[in-house]
Amino acid sequence: MNPTSRPDEGPAGTQRPARRAVLRAVFTAAVLAGTGGALAPVLLRGQDPGDPGQDRDAVGPERFSELYRGRTIRGTAAAVVPAGAQPHNGESVAAPAVDVSIDGRTLHVMRRADGSYLSTVNHYESFPTLLETARAAVDELGTAQLSAVSPHTI
């Protein structure tokens, strides 16, 4: 290196990029690649027509009846359309109708906005299906019984 040349000059006075600029470009490329890799599954998920999570908001007929840990659990979920309902702007007017029972006693179940369910027994935990909600309620109840009277009667 010539004593009169600057450290960022290459041979014959050609300008080479400063180390800081190269490191900044490499860091930016790494951040963009990492962000793209992390967001790709989220962004591409809605494009797969065979994706089961895509129809999560649609209430399909879910029916089950089984003996779980010595308790009989039964449940149904279906879309109910009120009489005389008119869809507005292509929106669905179907409301989910949910009926779950443990040993013949009604388990109050609510549907959350994300399509999952929660019950009065597991009020702070949600489950993707009614069957999982009923099983979790049985696990939580243990040997206790549900109340024979609904707490929300008119």
Side-chain angles (χ1 to χ4, degrees):
M1 180 158 74
N2 186 338
T4 61
S5 67
R6 294 188 355 218
D8 60 342
E9 287 184 7
T14 59
Q15 191 80 3
R16 64 180 183 172
R19 183 185 331 179
R20 192 175 286 171
V22 171
L23 289 174
R24 187 179 301 138
V26 169
F27 177 74
T28 302
V31 167
L32 289 174
T35 303
L39 290 178
V42 174
L43 297 174
L44 298 176
R45 178 178 48 184
Q47 296 180 8
D48 183 16
D51 185 15
Q54 194 170 349
D55 264 353
R56 188 172 182 125
D57 291 337
V59 179
E62 183 179 351
R63 296 177 189 271
F64 59 90
S65 177
E66 71 174 29
L67 189 64
Y68 178 72
R69 294 193 176 192
R71 312 289 285 276
T72 303
I73 56 175
R74 291 191 173 102
T76 59
V80 176
V81 179
Q86 302 274 332
H88 299 285
N89 300 329
E91 295 176 7
S92 175
V93 293
V98 177
D99 180 36
V100 178
S101 65
I102 299 174
D103 292 334
R105 295 182 178 196
T106 302
L107 172 67
H108 185 73
V109 176
M110 296 159 281
R111 188 168 171 96
R112 294 173 40 105
D114 66 355
S116 61
Y117 298 94
L118 60 91
S119 71
T120 53
V121 175
N122 298 81
H123 200 74
Y124 297 104
E125 188 176 3
S126 59
F127 302 94
T129 65
L130 282 176
L131 180 59
E132 290 181 43
T133 306
R135 286 178 177 172
V138 168
D139 293 341
E140 190 70 28
L141 284 170
T143 58
Q145 291 286 328
L146 286 171
S147 174
V149 179
S150 173
H152 301 289
T153 57
I154 296 176

